[in-house]
Structure formats: structure tokens, C-alpha cells
């Protein structure tokens, strides 16, 4: 099993690929300063806990992927917080504790197939995070340190 790892910073603007339109907003974090930790983890889909400053701790499912606009040492970090927010929270401090890995990055033949897969990932994350081995990290001080 994977050792939990932590990553955090202010929520930055992504490339607006329409994830919100798809109903899948992702709160992007800058990979700056995390090249070592990111190079240790393959591109793919992960799950864990997200502490959003002044708000709370939420389940999250996250894509770590190559950023085609930069060189191959930079990956994008895009967690989807599994909670309904009434507004955007760009610039707010977000701390992640990543506890599990779901699957490698993949390509899809259609947008529908991609969306369906992400919802499958979400269900896997939601269920897994109820298991004691993952639930215990909800109390990780790193998440609270941003509240
Ligand atoms: P961007 O390309 O700028 O990341 P997105 O379409 O991915 O745009 O939307 C992400 C933004 O939506 C986040 O930065 C955050 O401010 C907001 N947001 C609202 N609800 C959520 C959520 N449940 N999970 C992640 N981000 C959310
Ligand atoms: Mg995003």
C-alpha cells in the first residue's frame, strides 16, 4: 500500500477545460516545489482528503497528469472535492493528504466515456475513504493546519 503524501497551496486557475460544465470542477494546485514528490508518483487518479482553509475537510478524487504546455517534469494536480460548494474558492489555501491510487492516466474515445469513468473513480474514492485504513487520515494535522 501507498504511503500517504501531502501537497498544498493556494487554488490556482486552470486552463478552463470546461470541467465545471461537465459537472466536474477541479481545484488546481501549482506543482511548483513538488517536483520530487510528483516524480515519485505516476500520472493517474488518486484519492484522499482535502482541507480547505476556513471551510472544512472533504473527500477528494484527484487527477495527476502531464501538462502538455510545459516540459515533462511538470504535472497538473487537479482534485475534485466531493462536496457541493455555492461559490468558487480560487486563491484559498488547500491542503491534500493523498492516501490511495485508483488507476493510471488513460485516453477515452468519447467525452461521455471520460465522464462515466470519472464518476466511477468518484464512487471508488467515496467508498474507499470510509474504510478505517483511509478514514483515519481525515484527522491528519496537515489538513487542519490550513483551516
Ligand atoms: P479551472 O480550469 O480554473 O481549474 P474548473 O472548471 O476546474 O476551472 O473549476 C475549478 C474551480 O471551481 C475551483 O478552483 C474552485 O474554485 C471551484 N469549485 C467549486 N466547487 C468545486 C469542487 N467541488 N471541487 C473543486 N473545485 C470546485
Ligand atoms: Mg480545474
Amino acid at each position: 500500500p501507498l504511503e500517504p503524501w501531502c501537497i498544498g497551496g493556494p487554488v490556482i486557475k486552470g486552463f478552463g477545460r470546461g470541467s465545471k460544465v461537465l459537472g466536474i470542477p477541479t481545484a488546481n494546485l501549482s506543482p511548483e516545489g513538488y517536483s520530487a514528490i510528483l516524480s515519485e508518483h505516476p500520472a493517474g487518479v488518486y484519492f484522499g482528503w482535502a482541507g480547505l482553509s476556513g471551510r472544512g475537510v472533504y473527500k477528494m478524487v484527484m487527477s495527476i497528469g502531464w501538462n502538455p504546455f510545459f516540459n515533462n517534469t511538470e504535472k497538473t494536480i487537479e482534485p475534485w472535492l466531493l462536496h457541493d460548494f455555492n461559490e468558487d474558492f480560487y486563491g484559498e489555501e488547500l491542503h491534500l493528504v493523498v492516501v490511495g491510487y485508483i488507476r493510471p492516466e488513460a485516453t477515452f474515445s468519447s467525452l461521455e466515456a471520460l465522464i462515466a469513468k470519472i464518476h466511477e473513480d468518484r464512487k471508488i474514492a467515496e467508498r474507499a475513504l470510509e474504510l478505517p485504513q483511509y478514514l483515519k487520515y481525515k484527522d491528519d494535522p496537515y489538513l487542519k493546519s490550513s483551516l
Side-chain angles (χ1 to χ4, degrees), residues 11-21 24-28 78-85 87-90:
V11 175
I12 59 166
K13 273 268 180 196
F15 291 102
R17 293 195 188 99
S19 53
K20 226 177 259 175
V21 177
I24 305 167
T26 56
N28 297 39
E78 304 197 37
W80 178 22
L81 278 54
L82 304 180
H83 179 82
D84 280 325
F85 294 92
E87 69 275 304
D88 288 348
F89 42 85
Y90 287 110

Side-chain angles (χ1 to χ4, degrees), residues 9 11-12 32 53 61 89-90 99 125 137 147:
V11 175
I12 59 166
E32 222 183 292
S53 183
V61 60
F89 42 85
Y90 287 110
V99 302
Y137 292 107
L147 301 183

